[in-house]
Amino acid sequence: MKLNIQKLESKINEINNEIDVFQRKMSNVPTNVTHDLKKIVNELESKKSNFKDKIDLIKDKSDDAVVDMQIGVEMAWKDLSIAYDSVKERFKEVR
């Protein structure tokens, strides 16, 4: 199974857009929760960067190398997805 790099990069862009939304929303929440929200958004950004780094590594690799790296990319995506869902739920709680 070959990874679709364009699709993965599109997901990174979607996450970037959501991070922007989260950061804008932080200006409207009570200051006592802003610190916690910043922390989880920073974690999300870190996981997004890790995922993007893995995608960048495989862009110029052969198909065989991509297959070998696929597990790492899938694990990074899973971590990013879990972090995103966590941030999204946390912002719902703040409303």
Side-chain angles (χ1 to χ4, degrees):
M1 180 171 128
K2 187 171 178 176
L3 293 174
N4 183 335
I5 301 300
Q6 288 179 326
K7 184 177 178 181
L8 297 174
E9 287 177 329
S10 175
K11 290 181 182 287
I12 291 170
N13 290 333
E14 289 173 24
I15 295 291
N16 278 334
N17 292 336
E18 289 297 320
I19 288 172
D20 290 342
V21 169
F22 293 143
Q23 289 173 334
R24 284 192 303 276
K25 285 182 178 182
M26 277 193 279
S27 65
N28 297 323
V29 298
T31 55
N32 62 329
V33 294
T34 302
H35 176 70
D36 290 338
L37 293 175
K38 283 182 182 179
K39 183 178 175 184
I40 62 172
V41 169
N42 287 341
E43 286 178 25
L44 177 62
E45 287 179 321
S46 175
K47 292 183 185 294
K48 184 218 31 158
S49 292
N50 181 43
F51 181 67
K52 184 180 180 323
D53 290 346
K54 291 193 182 303
I55 298 305
D56 289 344
L57 279 173
I58 64 171
K59 281 184 180 179
D60 297 323
K61 302 292 182 189
S62 68
D63 287 345
D64 290 338
V66 170
V67 169
D68 291 342
M69 299 173 80
Q70 185 170 350
I71 292 172
V73 170
E74 289 171 353
M75 289 173 55
W77 173 248
K78 184 177 179 179
D79 286 346
L80 177 58
S81 295
I82 290 169
Y84 171 74
D85 290 341
S86 175
V87 171
K88 192 167 72 172
E89 286 302 311
R90 184 68 174 105
F91 271 89
K92 283 182 183 178
E93 293 171 6
V94 173
R95 287 190 207 178

